[in-house]
Amino acid sequence: QLSTYHVVMESLPKNFPALEQRRISCSFFASMLAGVAIVAANHPFDVATTRMCNQDAGSRTYASTLACFRMTLSAEGFSGLYKGAFANWCRAGPHTTYCFVFLEAFKKAADEYGIFQ
């Protein structure tokens, strides 16, 4: 999450010079992309965890996380691992955005007042 944000935050002003003076706007776009990256990386594991927790205690449909991945891929394809990803992004996206936009606002204030120098 942080590494994606950092890479995008550095590359946006280079590729879009209009964003160079708009630090908060740049932070907003970078944090939204970081939210997408975190959902893309973590959601398949959330799907597997949910399916394993919701299985009947006696049935043991999924013996392991790897078995859950295999069965999901064979039954539903790759998109089965991303069921509900938009809802997950609706939760994680704003959280990531708020965190990083506030971080940039605090960094800007610290630079203006020389707090961390």
Side-chain angles (χ1 to χ4, degrees):
Q1 193 173 17
L2 186 59
S3 59
T4 302
Y5 173 77
H6 182 69
V7 167
V8 174
M9 192 68 179
E10 284 186 348
S11 65
L12 274 176
K14 291 177 187 173
N15 295 319
F16 301 99
L19 289 175
E20 198 165 334
Q21 298 300 320
R22 299 172 182 243
R23 194 168 172 178
I24 299 298
S25 297
C26 189
S27 175
F28 177 80
F29 291 121
S31 60
M32 291 298 276
L33 288 174
V36 169
I38 197 70
V39 170
N42 285 339
H43 193 70
F45 296 101
D46 288 344
V47 168
T49 301
T50 301
R51 289 179 182 208
M52 290 179 70
C53 287
N54 288 337
Q55 69 184 347
D56 293 331
S59 73
R60 301 273 304 166
T61 305
Y62 307 112
S64 67
T65 304
L66 188 59
C68 183
F69 281 134
R70 270 195 307 250
M71 291 177 76
T72 302
L73 286 171
S74 66
E76 301 171 40
F78 188 72
S79 63
L81 295 175
Y82 286 95
K83 277 189 173 179
F86 181 71
N88 194 358
W89 180 80
C90 286
R91 178 191 59 79
H95 176 267
T96 304
T97 302
Y98 289 138
C99 286
F100 287 126
V101 168
F102 286 138
L103 173 70
E104 287 300 319
F106 289 138
K107 282 171 54 176
K108 183 179 178 183
D111 288 346
E112 285 178 11
Y113 296 108
I115 295 174
F116 297 115
Q117 292 180 1

